[in-house]
Amino acid sequence: YVPLRGEDGVDLPGIGREDDGLKGGLNGIDNGRLSFDHVRIPRTNLLNRYGDVAPDGTYSSAIDSPGRRFFTMLGTLVQGRVSLDGAASWASALGLKIAITYATQRRQFDGIDGQEVVLLDYGKHQRRLLPRLATTYAQIFAHDEFLQKFDGVFSGRTDTPADREDLETLAAALKPLSTWHALDTLQEAREACGGAGFMFENRLVGLRADLDIYVTFEGDNNVLLQLVGKRLLTDYAKQFTGKDAAALAKFAVGQTAGKLFHGAGLRQFGQSVADFGQVARSVENGLREEQQHLLLAERVQQMVADIAARLRPGAKDKALGSKLFNENQAELIEAARAHGELLQWEAFTDAVHRVEDADTKKVLTWLRDLFGLQLIEK
Ligand SMILES: Cc1cc2nc3c(=O)[nH]c(=O)nc-3n(C[C@H](O)[C@H](O)[C@H](O)COP(=O)(O)OP(=O)(O)OC[C@H]3O[C@@H](n4cnc5c(N)ncnc54)[C@H](O)[C@@H]3O)c2cc1C
């Protein structure tokens, strides 16, 4: 598309090339930069699969809708994000496999019967590793759904503009969560293996170094979550289009603070969490699948509704709108994160329902509860 070197192998005039040098990880991949100074690129050498420019400068595209065109082009990025989400989830799994294996073999200090205790029998060690294991399962099940959606769109079976937009939003929600989780998990796994965890041959430090940049490339995590947050706000606003004043007023009354704990008997569960001071005990008191789902789903709804209400005064004033948006940006990103966590929880639960073997189902249900409860605790 753009010739860089002449027949003699020397850079053509106006072409600059540089290696990026040593990076914080992923040094098995070379990164570099190209610069062009007064280099003319033939119009016919454009990457013009979806759009073209005529000799007189007019733009044309086979895809009429600008929205559809935008999401078709963005689709290319989804391939990277789906890969990153999978790689990060499996890196977390690998880190935990290493740390849990170590924890079931390594003994430290006396137990009751005089035998040294394996690390995994320590309460703190369980607390460090098992909730992360539960999250990793949730992410892998969510990744599977992401792959199915990706396959649907890219095979053309379910390739409408709405499908592409959904895929884009799913990618933007899941990639940040799995890549941040991978860094957190690899660090915890490294520490959980003590000094052995720091040895390069035990893989944890190498994985951590290589995974570091996953939170940034193919879309910075916070920027991606902001995209999800905007979609949540748009979907939220859509419920009101065409509604009359009475319906809106009724809705506003429903949006009182603390609604979360007043609906569907949830207050009782919230109270039992507070009484026991421990979210784990409350599962015995009935914080089961439906209640977990309600709490997690209403958390997202409440967060989005609160932000939408704070943004409303800026609806007709662009400057005020930007100011309010910026003031609420951090909360919007948190709402997007909560939405991603809900998707993971739902994917985990659907997967549990599909399991036929009774014992596997039982253990996976425990693990799903652990995932749900740690979110509620947080
Ligand atoms: C090893 C490596 C390989 C890469 N490979 C490719 C490649 O093959 N092709 C390619 O096109 N690109 C590639 N990239 C570029 C990569 O996609 C960008 O680095 C990434 O999108 C982040 O952009 P940036 O570096 O400009 O960060 P910046 O945009 O400068 O972001 C810096 C910080 O500011 C925050 N920030 C930015 N905007 C906002 C906002 N609106 N609101 C709040 N916070 C904000 C971000 O969260 C981030 O923490 C690569 C990068 C690396 C490091």
Side-chain angles (χ1 to χ4, degrees):
Y1 294 98
V2 186
L4 302 178
R5 286 182 274 201
E7 292 293 319
D8 55 2
V10 175
D11 287 349
L12 291 169
I15 304 285
R17 288 189 291 130
E18 243 182 292
D19 191 276
D20 273 346
L22 194 64
K23 295 168 292 179
L26 271 192
N27 280 303
I29 299 171
D30 279 334
N31 287 98
R33 56 195 71 204
L34 290 170
S35 57
F36 306 97
D37 183 11
H38 289 87
V39 175
R40 256 181 97 81
I41 302 170
R43 184 182 53 82
T44 49
N45 286 16
L46 290 172
L47 296 169
N48 60 346
R49 186 161 168 199
Y50 302 115
D52 216 349
V53 179
D56 68 357
T58 39
Y59 179 80
S60 65
S61 170
I63 308 171
D64 286 339
S65 149
R68 170 122 202 262
R69 198 185 306 136
F70 180 65
F71 282 106
T72 304
M73 289 185 179
L74 277 188
T76 315
L77 295 175
V78 166
Q79 301 178 57
R81 288 174 194 161
V82 78
S83 312
L84 261 53
D85 183 56
S89 301
W90 288 105
S92 299
L94 187 54
L96 286 166
K97 163 97 178 158
I98 295 167
I100 291 173
T101 304
Y102 184 81
T104 53
Q105 293 172 2
R106 172 75 167 165
R107 294 179 181 276
Q108 282 291 28
F109 306 107
D110 287 342
I112 313 159
D113 55 3
Q115 232 227 0
E116 283 195 314
V117 177
V118 290
L119 290 177
L120 201 56
D121 281 343
Y122 286 110
K124 177 62 180 174
H125 218 73
Q126 293 169 3
R127 212 4 136 107
R128 291 165 70 187
L129 297 181
L130 300 184
R132 287 180 171 87
L133 181 69
T135 304
T136 304
Y137 267 80
Q139 291 187 340
I140 287 172
F141 288 131
H143 178 69
D144 269 354
E145 291 197 0
F146 183 15
L147 278 181
Q148 309 252 2
K149 184 101 199 149
F150 176 73
D151 178 48
V153 167
F154 277 72
S155 65
R157 272 197 310 280
T158 47
D159 184 14
T160 64
D163 284 313
R164 283 192 175 256
E165 201 180 338
D166 284 350
L167 179 65
E168 195 59 45
T169 313
L170 191 59
L174 296 183
K175 178 264 185 189
L177 299 197
S178 56
T179 54
W180 270 326
H181 175 69
L183 285 190
D184 168 64
T185 299
L186 290 168
Q187 177 63 24
E188 199 64 49
R190 204 297 290 150
E191 292 177 39
C193 293
F198 201 54
M199 300 300 117
F200 205 87
E201 67 168 356
N202 290 327
R203 306 190 64 184
L204 295 168
V205 286
L207 280 170
R208 191 185 52 190
D210 282 351
L211 264 288
D212 187 336
I213 199 62
Y214 279 48
V215 305
T216 298
F217 66 9
E218 298 291 341
D220 169 81
N221 282 1
N222 281 305
V223 174
L224 286 180
L225 285 181
Q226 177 166 269
L227 190 122
V228 177
K230 285 184 173 169
R231 173 79 193 272
L232 290 174
L233 284 174
T234 310
D235 286 356
Y236 178 79
K238 267 190 202 148
Q239 339 169 47
F240 305 118
T241 45
K243 291 252 165 64
D244 61 13
L248 286 178
K250 197 169 158 214
F251 183 84
V253 171
Q255 291 300 308
T256 51
K259 174 176 166 277
L260 196 65
F261 284 112
H262 293 287
L266 284 173
R267 177 170 209 166
Q268 188 192 327
F269 295 111
Q271 193 56 46
S272 80
V273 172
D275 289 350
F276 289 118
Q278 241 189 343
V279 82
R281 294 277 303 276
S282 57
V283 77
E284 294 152 22
N285 293 283
L287 197 57
R288 303 255 181 241
E289 190 167 298
E290 303 84 78
Q291 288 80 27
Q292 289 175 35
H293 189 236
L294 262 174
L295 280 169
L296 296 173
E298 293 212 10
R299 174 174 72 139
V300 180
Q301 272 178 28
Q302 188 76 53
M303 288 168 104
V304 175
D306 285 350
I307 295 164
R310 292 201 293 271
L311 296 182
R312 204 162 294 135
K316 292 201 172 88
D317 176 343
K318 210 170 170 209
L320 180 64
S322 315
K323 180 174 172 284
L324 289 175
F325 185 85
N326 203 30
E327 281 172 12
N328 286 281
Q329 189 189 27
E331 285 85 352
L332 185 66
I333 288 172
E334 281 313 301
R337 185 200 292 265
H339 171 72
E341 289 168 343
L342 172 64
L343 294 178
Q344 293 174 336
W345 186 93
E346 287 174 344
F348 201 156
T349 300
D350 289 347
V352 169
H353 289 174
R354 286 193 301 270
V355 172
E356 280 166 18
D357 177 75
D359 288 340
T360 306
K361 203 185 191 88
K362 186 169 156 190
V363 176
L364 278 182
T365 304
W366 288 340
L367 208 56
R368 193 283 319 277
D369 285 345
L370 182 58
F371 178 60
L373 293 174
Q374 65 170 308
L375 292 178
I376 292 165
E377 181 181 60
K378 186 173 75 171

